Coordinates of all heavy atoms in Angstrom, one line a residue:
M23 N -175.5 -20.7 40.6 CA -176.6 -20.6 39.6 C -177.9 -21.0 40.3 O -178.3 -22.1 40.2 CB -176.3 -21.6 38.4 CG -176.9 -21.2 37.2 SD -176.6 -22.4 35.9 CE -174.8 -22.4 35.7
T24 N -178.5 -20.0 41.0 CA -179.7 -20.3 41.7 C -180.9 -19.7 41.2 O -182.0 -20.1 41.4 CB -179.5 -19.9 43.2 OG1 -179.1 -18.6 43.3 CG2 -178.5 -20.8 44.0
S25 N -180.7 -18.6 40.4 CA -181.8 -17.9 39.9 C -182.4 -18.6 38.7 O -181.7 -19.1 37.9 CB -181.4 -16.4 39.4 OG -180.5 -16.6 38.4
W26 N -183.7 -18.7 38.7 CA -184.4 -19.4 37.6 C -185.3 -18.4 37.0 O -186.3 -18.0 37.5 CB -185.1 -20.6 38.2 CG -185.9 -21.3 37.1 CD1 -187.2 -21.2 36.9 CD2 -185.4 -22.1 36.1 NE1 -187.6 -21.9 35.9 CE2 -186.5 -22.5 35.4 CE3 -184.1 -22.6 35.8 CZ2 -186.4 -23.3 34.2 CZ3 -184.0 -23.5 34.7 CH2 -185.1 -23.8 34.0
A27 N -185.0 -18.1 35.7 CA -185.8 -17.1 35.0 C -186.6 -18.0 34.0 O -186.0 -18.8 33.3 CB -185.0 -16.1 34.3
A28 N -187.9 -17.8 34.1 CA -188.7 -18.7 33.2 C -189.0 -17.9 31.9 O -189.8 -17.0 31.8 CB -190.1 -19.0 33.9
N29 N -188.2 -18.3 30.9 CA -188.4 -17.9 29.6 C -188.8 -19.0 28.7 O -188.3 -20.1 28.9 CB -187.1 -17.2 29.0 CG -186.6 -16.1 29.9 OD1 -187.3 -15.2 30.3 ND2 -185.3 -16.2 30.3
L30 N -189.6 -18.8 27.7 CA -189.9 -19.8 26.7 C -188.9 -19.7 25.6 O -188.7 -18.6 25.1 CB -191.3 -19.7 26.2 CG -192.4 -20.1 27.1 CD1 -193.8 -20.0 26.4 CD2 -192.2 -21.5 27.6
G31 N -188.3 -20.8 25.2 CA -187.3 -20.8 24.2 C -186.9 -22.2 23.8 O -187.5 -23.2 24.2
D32 N -185.7 -22.3 23.1 CA -185.2 -23.6 22.8 C -184.0 -23.9 23.6 O -183.2 -23.0 24.0 CB -184.6 -23.5 21.3 CG -185.8 -23.2 20.3 OD1 -186.9 -23.4 20.7 OD2 -185.5 -22.8 19.2
C33 N -183.9 -25.2 24.0 CA -182.8 -25.7 24.8 C -181.6 -26.0 23.8 O -181.8 -26.7 22.9 CB -183.2 -26.9 25.6 SG -181.8 -27.6 26.4
F34 N -180.5 -25.5 24.1 CA -179.3 -25.7 23.2 C -178.8 -27.1 23.3 O -178.1 -27.6 22.5 CB -178.2 -24.7 23.5 CG -177.3 -25.1 24.7 CD1 -176.1 -25.7 24.4 CD2 -177.6 -24.7 26.0 CE1 -175.3 -26.1 25.5 CE2 -176.8 -25.1 27.0 CZ -175.6 -25.8 26.8
R35 N -179.2 -27.8 24.5 CA -178.6 -29.1 24.7 C -179.4 -30.2 24.2 O -178.9 -31.2 23.6 CB -178.4 -29.2 26.2 CG -177.3 -30.2 26.6 CD -176.7 -29.9 28.0 NE -175.8 -30.9 28.3 CZ -176.1 -32.2 28.9 NH1 -177.4 -32.4 29.2 NH2 -175.1 -33.0 29.2
C36 N -180.7 -30.2 24.5 CA -181.5 -31.3 24.0 C -182.5 -30.9 22.9 O -183.3 -31.8 22.5 CB -182.4 -31.8 25.2 SG -183.6 -30.7 25.9
D37 N -182.3 -29.7 22.4 CA -183.0 -29.3 21.2 C -184.5 -29.3 21.3 O -185.2 -29.4 20.3 CB -182.5 -30.2 20.0 CG -181.2 -29.8 19.5 OD1 -180.7 -28.6 19.7 OD2 -180.5 -30.6 18.9
R38 N -185.1 -29.3 22.5 CA -186.5 -29.1 22.6 C -186.8 -27.6 22.4 O -186.0 -26.8 22.8 CB -186.9 -29.6 24.0 CG -186.9 -31.1 24.1 CD -187.7 -31.6 25.2 NE -187.1 -31.3 26.5 CZ -187.7 -31.4 27.7 NH1 -188.9 -31.8 27.7 NH2 -187.0 -31.1 28.7
G39 N -188.0 -27.4 21.9 CA -188.3 -25.9 21.6 C -189.6 -25.6 22.3 O -190.4 -26.4 22.8
A40 N -189.7 -24.3 22.5 CA -190.9 -23.7 23.2 C -191.1 -24.3 24.5 O -192.2 -24.7 24.9 CB -192.2 -23.9 22.3
I41 N -190.0 -24.4 25.3 CA -190.1 -24.8 26.7 C -189.5 -23.8 27.6 O -188.9 -22.8 27.2 CB -189.4 -26.2 26.9 CG1 -187.9 -26.0 26.4 CG2 -190.1 -27.3 26.2 CD1 -187.0 -27.3 26.6
Q42 N -189.6 -24.0 28.9 CA -189.1 -23.0 29.8 C -187.6 -23.2 29.9 O -187.0 -24.3 30.1 CB -189.6 -23.3 31.2 CG -191.0 -22.7 31.4 CD -191.4 -22.6 32.9 OE1 -190.6 -23.0 33.7 NE2 -192.5 -22.0 33.2
V43 N -186.8 -22.1 29.6 CA -185.4 -22.2 29.6 C -184.8 -21.1 30.4 O -185.5 -20.1 30.7 CB -184.9 -22.1 28.1 CG1 -185.2 -23.4 27.3 CG2 -185.3 -20.9 27.4
T44 N -183.6 -21.2 30.8 CA -182.9 -20.2 31.5 C -181.6 -19.9 30.9 O -180.9 -20.8 30.2 CB -182.7 -20.6 33.0 OG1 -182.3 -19.4 33.7 CG2 -181.7 -21.6 33.2
H45 N -181.0 -18.7 31.1 CA -179.7 -18.3 30.4 C -178.6 -19.0 31.2 O -178.5 -18.8 32.4 CB -179.6 -16.8 30.5 CG -178.5 -16.3 29.8 ND1 -177.9 -15.1 30.2 CD2 -177.8 -16.8 28.8 CE1 -176.9 -14.9 29.4 NE2 -176.8 -15.9 28.5
V46 N -177.8 -19.8 30.6 CA -176.8 -20.6 31.3 C -175.4 -20.1 31.0 O -174.5 -20.5 31.6 CB -176.9 -22.1 31.1 CG1 -178.2 -22.6 31.7 CG2 -176.9 -22.4 29.6
G47 N -175.3 -19.3 30.0 CA -174.0 -18.8 29.6 C -173.9 -18.3 28.2 O -174.9 -18.1 27.6
E48 N -172.7 -18.1 27.7 CA -172.5 -17.6 26.4 C -171.6 -18.5 25.6 O -170.7 -19.2 26.2 CB -171.7 -16.2 26.4 CG -172.3 -15.3 27.4 CD -173.7 -14.6 26.9 OE1 -173.9 -14.7 25.7 OE2 -174.4 -14.1 27.7
S49 N -171.9 -18.7 24.3 CA -171.1 -19.4 23.4 C -170.3 -18.3 22.6 O -170.9 -17.5 22.0 CB -171.8 -20.3 22.5 OG -171.1 -20.7 21.4
I50 N -169.0 -18.4 22.7 CA -168.2 -17.4 22.0 C -167.6 -18.0 20.7 O -166.9 -19.1 20.8 CB -167.0 -16.9 22.9 CG1 -167.6 -16.4 24.2 CG2 -166.1 -15.9 22.1 CD1 -166.6 -15.9 25.2
D51 N -167.9 -17.4 19.6 CA -167.5 -17.9 18.3 C -166.0 -17.6 18.1 O -165.5 -16.7 18.7 CB -168.3 -17.3 17.2 CG -169.8 -17.7 17.3 OD1 -170.1 -18.7 17.9 OD2 -170.6 -16.9 16.8
P52 N -165.4 -18.3 17.1 CA -164.0 -17.9 16.8 C -163.8 -16.5 16.5 O -162.8 -15.9 16.7 CB -163.6 -18.8 15.7 CG -164.5 -20.0 15.8 CD -165.8 -19.4 16.4
D53 N -164.8 -15.8 16.0 CA -164.6 -14.4 15.5 C -165.0 -13.5 16.7 O -165.0 -12.3 16.5 CB -165.4 -14.1 14.3 CG -166.9 -14.4 14.5 OD1 -167.3 -14.9 15.6 OD2 -167.7 -14.1 13.6
G54 N -165.3 -14.1 17.9 CA -165.5 -13.3 19.0 C -166.9 -12.9 19.3 O -167.2 -12.2 20.3
A55 N -167.9 -13.4 18.5 CA -169.2 -13.0 18.7 C -169.8 -13.9 19.8 O -169.6 -15.1 19.8 CB -170.0 -13.3 17.4
E56 N -170.5 -13.3 20.7 CA -171.2 -14.0 21.8 C -172.6 -14.4 21.5 O -173.4 -13.5 21.1 CB -171.1 -13.2 23.1 CG -169.7 -13.0 23.6 CD -169.7 -12.3 25.0 OE1 -170.8 -12.2 25.6 OE2 -168.6 -12.0 25.4
T57 N -172.9 -15.6 21.7 CA -174.3 -16.1 21.4 C -174.9 -16.6 22.8 O -174.2 -17.5 23.4 CB -174.4 -17.3 20.5 OG1 -173.8 -16.8 19.3 CG2 -175.8 -17.6 20.1
P58 N -175.9 -16.0 23.4 CA -176.5 -16.5 24.6 C -176.9 -17.9 24.5 O -177.6 -18.3 23.5 CB -177.6 -15.6 25.0 CG -177.9 -14.9 23.6 CD -176.7 -15.0 22.8
L59 N -176.6 -18.8 25.5 CA -177.1 -20.2 25.5 C -178.2 -20.3 26.6 O -178.1 -19.8 27.6 CB -175.9 -21.1 25.9 CG -174.8 -21.2 25.0 CD1 -173.7 -22.1 25.6 CD2 -175.3 -21.8 23.6
F60 N -179.3 -20.9 26.1 CA -180.4 -21.2 27.0 C -180.6 -22.7 27.1 O -180.5 -23.4 26.1 CB -181.7 -20.5 26.4 CG -181.6 -19.0 26.4 CD1 -181.1 -18.3 25.4 CD2 -182.0 -18.3 27.5 CE1 -181.0 -16.9 25.4 CE2 -182.0 -17.0 27.6 CZ -181.5 -16.3 26.5
A61 N -180.9 -23.2 28.3 CA -181.1 -24.6 28.6 C -182.4 -24.8 29.4 O -182.7 -24.0 30.2 CB -179.9 -25.2 29.3
C62 N -183.0 -26.0 29.1 CA -184.2 -26.3 29.9 C -183.8 -26.6 31.4 O -182.7 -26.8 31.6 CB -185.0 -27.4 29.3 SG -184.2 -29.0 29.3
R63 N -184.8 -26.8 32.2 CA -184.5 -27.0 33.7 C -183.7 -28.3 33.8 O -182.7 -28.4 34.6 CB -185.8 -27.0 34.4 CG -185.5 -27.1 35.9 CD -186.8 -26.6 36.7 NE -186.3 -26.0 37.9 CZ -187.2 -25.2 38.6 NH1 -188.4 -24.9 38.2 NH2 -186.8 -24.6 39.8
A64 N -184.1 -29.3 33.2 CA -183.4 -30.6 33.4 C -182.0 -30.6 32.9 O -181.1 -31.0 33.6 CB -184.2 -31.7 32.5
C65 N -181.8 -30.0 31.8 CA -180.4 -29.8 31.3 C -179.6 -28.9 32.2 O -178.4 -29.1 32.4 CB -180.4 -29.4 29.9 SG -180.9 -30.6 28.7
T66 N -180.2 -27.8 32.7 CA -179.5 -26.9 33.6 C -179.1 -27.6 34.8 O -177.9 -27.5 35.3 CB -180.5 -25.7 34.0 OG1 -180.9 -25.1 32.8 CG2 -179.7 -24.7 34.8
E67 N -179.9 -28.4 35.4 CA -179.5 -29.2 36.6 C -178.4 -30.2 36.3 O -177.5 -30.4 37.1 CB -180.8 -29.9 37.2 CG -181.8 -28.8 37.8 CD -183.0 -29.5 38.3 OE1 -183.2 -30.7 38.1 OE2 -183.9 -28.8 38.9
R68 N -178.5 -30.8 35.2 CA -177.5 -31.8 34.8 C -176.1 -31.1 34.7 O -175.1 -31.6 35.1 CB -177.8 -32.5 33.5 CG -177.1 -33.7 33.3 CD -177.6 -34.5 32.1 NE -179.0 -34.9 32.3 CZ -179.7 -35.5 31.4 NH1 -179.2 -35.9 30.3 NH2 -181.0 -35.8 31.6
L69 N -176.2 -29.9 34.0 CA -174.9 -29.2 33.8 C -174.3 -28.7 35.1 O -173.2 -28.8 35.3 CB -175.2 -28.0 32.9 CG -175.5 -28.2 31.4 CD1 -176.0 -27.0 30.7 CD2 -174.2 -28.7 30.8
T70 N -175.2 -28.2 36.0 CA -174.7 -27.8 37.3 C -174.1 -29.0 38.0 O -173.1 -28.9 38.7 CB -175.9 -27.2 38.1 OG1 -176.5 -26.2 37.3 CG2 -175.4 -26.6 39.4
A71 N -174.8 -30.2 38.0 CA -174.2 -31.3 38.7 C -172.9 -31.7 38.1 O -172.0 -32.1 38.9 CB -175.2 -32.5 38.6
M72 N -172.8 -31.7 36.8 CA -171.5 -32.1 36.2 C -170.4 -31.1 36.6 O -169.3 -31.5 36.9 CB -171.7 -32.0 34.6 CG -172.2 -33.2 34.0 SD -172.6 -32.9 32.2 CE -171.1 -32.1 31.7
H73 N -170.8 -29.9 36.7 CA -169.8 -28.8 37.1 C -169.3 -29.1 38.5 O -168.1 -29.0 38.8 CB -170.4 -27.5 36.9 CG -169.5 -26.4 37.2 ND1 -168.5 -25.9 36.3 CD2 -169.4 -25.5 38.3 CE1 -167.8 -25.0 36.8 NE2 -168.3 -24.6 38.0
Q74 N -170.3 -29.4 39.4 CA -169.9 -29.6 40.8 C -169.1 -30.9 41.0 O -168.1 -30.9 41.7 CB -171.2 -29.7 41.7 CG -171.8 -28.3 41.9 CD -173.2 -28.5 42.4 OE1 -173.7 -29.5 42.6 NE2 -173.8 -27.3 42.8
R75 N -169.4 -31.9 40.2 CA -168.6 -33.2 40.3 C -167.2 -33.0 39.8 O -166.3 -33.5 40.3 CB -169.3 -34.3 39.5 CG -170.3 -35.1 40.3 CD -170.4 -36.5 39.7 NE -170.9 -36.5 38.4 CZ -172.2 -36.3 38.0 NH1 -173.1 -36.2 38.9 NH2 -172.5 -36.3 36.7
A76 N -167.1 -32.2 38.7 CA -165.8 -31.9 38.2 C -164.9 -31.1 39.1 O -163.7 -31.3 39.1 CB -166.0 -31.1 36.9
H77 N -165.5 -30.4 40.0 CA -164.8 -29.7 41.0 C -164.3 -30.7 42.1 O -163.2 -30.6 42.7 CB -165.6 -28.6 41.6 CG -165.2 -27.2 41.2 ND1 -164.2 -26.5 41.6 CD2 -165.8 -26.5 40.2 CE1 -164.1 -25.4 41.0 NE2 -165.1 -25.3 40.1
E78 N -165.2 -31.6 42.5 CA -164.9 -32.5 43.6 C -163.9 -33.5 43.2 O -163.0 -33.9 44.0 CB -166.3 -33.2 44.1 CG -167.1 -32.2 44.9 CD -168.6 -32.7 45.0 OE1 -168.8 -33.9 44.6 OE2 -169.4 -31.9 45.4
T79 N -164.1 -34.2 42.0 CA -163.2 -35.2 41.6 C -162.7 -34.8 40.2 O -163.2 -35.3 39.2 CB -163.9 -36.5 41.6 OG1 -165.0 -36.4 40.8 CG2 -164.3 -37.0 43.0
P80 N -161.8 -34.0 40.1 CA -161.2 -33.6 38.8 C -160.6 -34.8 38.1 O -160.0 -35.6 38.7 CB -160.1 -32.5 39.1 CG -159.9 -32.7 40.5 CD -161.1 -33.3 41.3
V81 N -160.8 -34.9 36.8 CA -160.3 -36.0 36.1 C -158.8 -36.0 36.0 O -158.1 -37.0 36.2 CB -160.9 -36.0 34.6 CG1 -160.3 -37.1 33.8 CG2 -162.4 -36.1 34.6
R82 N -158.3 -34.8 35.9 CA -156.8 -34.6 35.8 C -156.4 -33.9 37.1 O -157.1 -32.9 37.5 CB -156.4 -33.9 34.6 CG -156.3 -34.8 33.4 CD -155.8 -34.0 32.2 NE -157.0 -33.4 31.5 CZ -156.9 -32.7 30.4 NH1 -155.7 -32.5 29.9 NH2 -158.0 -32.2 29.8
R83 N -155.4 -34.3 37.6 CA -154.8 -33.6 38.8 C -154.3 -32.2 38.4 O -153.8 -32.0 37.3 CB -153.6 -34.3 39.4 CG -154.0 -35.1 40.6 CD -152.9 -36.2 41.0 NE -151.6 -35.8 40.7 CZ -150.8 -35.4 41.7 NH1 -151.1 -35.4 42.9 NH2 -149.5 -35.1 41.4
Y84 N -154.5 -31.2 39.2 CA -154.0 -29.9 39.0 C -152.5 -29.9 39.3 O -152.0 -30.4 40.3 CB -154.7 -28.9 39.9 CG -156.1 -28.5 39.5 CD1 -157.2 -29.0 40.2 CD2 -156.3 -27.8 38.3 CE1 -158.4 -28.7 39.8 CE2 -157.6 -27.4 37.9 CZ -158.7 -27.9 38.7 OH -159.9 -27.6 38.2
V85 N -151.8 -29.4 38.3 CA -150.4 -29.3 38.5 C -150.0 -27.8 38.6 O -150.3 -27.1 37.7 CB -149.5 -30.0 37.3 CG1 -148.1 -29.8 37.5 CG2 -150.0 -31.4 37.1
P86 N -149.6 -27.5 39.8 CA -149.2 -26.0 39.9 C -148.1 -25.6 39.0 O -147.2 -26.4 38.8 CB -148.9 -25.9 41.4 CG -148.6 -27.3 41.9 CD -149.3 -28.2 41.0
A87 N -148.2 -24.4 38.6 CA -147.2 -23.8 37.7 C -145.9 -23.6 38.5 O -146.0 -23.3 39.7 CB -147.6 -22.5 37.2
P88 N -144.8 -24.0 38.0 CA -143.5 -23.8 38.7 C -143.2 -22.3 39.0 O -143.4 -21.5 38.2 CB -142.5 -24.4 37.7 CG -143.1 -24.4 36.4 CD -144.6 -24.5 36.6
T89 N -142.8 -22.1 40.2 CA -142.5 -20.8 40.6 C -141.1 -20.5 40.3 O -140.2 -21.3 40.5 CB -142.8 -20.6 42.1 OG1 -142.2 -21.7 42.8 CG2 -144.3 -20.6 42.5
P90 N -140.8 -19.4 39.7 CA -139.4 -19.0 39.4 C -138.5 -18.8 40.5 O -139.0 -18.4 41.6 CB -139.5 -17.7 38.5 CG -140.9 -17.1 39.0 CD -141.7 -18.3 39.4
Ligands
ZN15 ZN1 -182.7 -29.4 27.6

């Protein structure tokens, strides 16, 4: 996630409005409808850091599926 598109909009995470946001993903409703999620730069960086930390130190150990 290196591209930074400067759009003015609302951040889905901190609820600030009319700020620079970037498209960070989609929220999929139970009925299958996709809603684009936009986050401000601070929240985008926090989300990216959380994602990287989760990869380095997973909370739960990965248990490989048993092979038949
Ligand atoms: Zn935000």
Side-chain angles (χ1 to χ4, degrees):
M23 208 186 296
T24 52
S25 65
W26 175 259
N29 304 309
L30 285 185
D32 297 344
C33 174
F34 83 95
R35 201 157 179 273
C36 63
D37 286 333
R38 287 195 289 172
I41 52 172
Q42 281 196 355
V43 291
T44 192
H45 186 208
V46 292
E48 311 285 339
S49 164
I50 301 176
D51 297 338
D53 58 1
E56 288 187 13
T57 306
L59 293 177
F60 292 89
C62 70
R63 187 160 209 163
C65 288
T66 302
E67 287 174 358
R68 196 172 302 177
L69 287 168
T70 306
M72 275 170 48
H73 185 73
Q74 285 168 351
R75 269 205 304 276
H77 257 278
E78 289 162 6
T79 56
V81 176
R82 276 181 275 181
R83 256 162 41 101
Y84 284 107
V85 180
T89 48

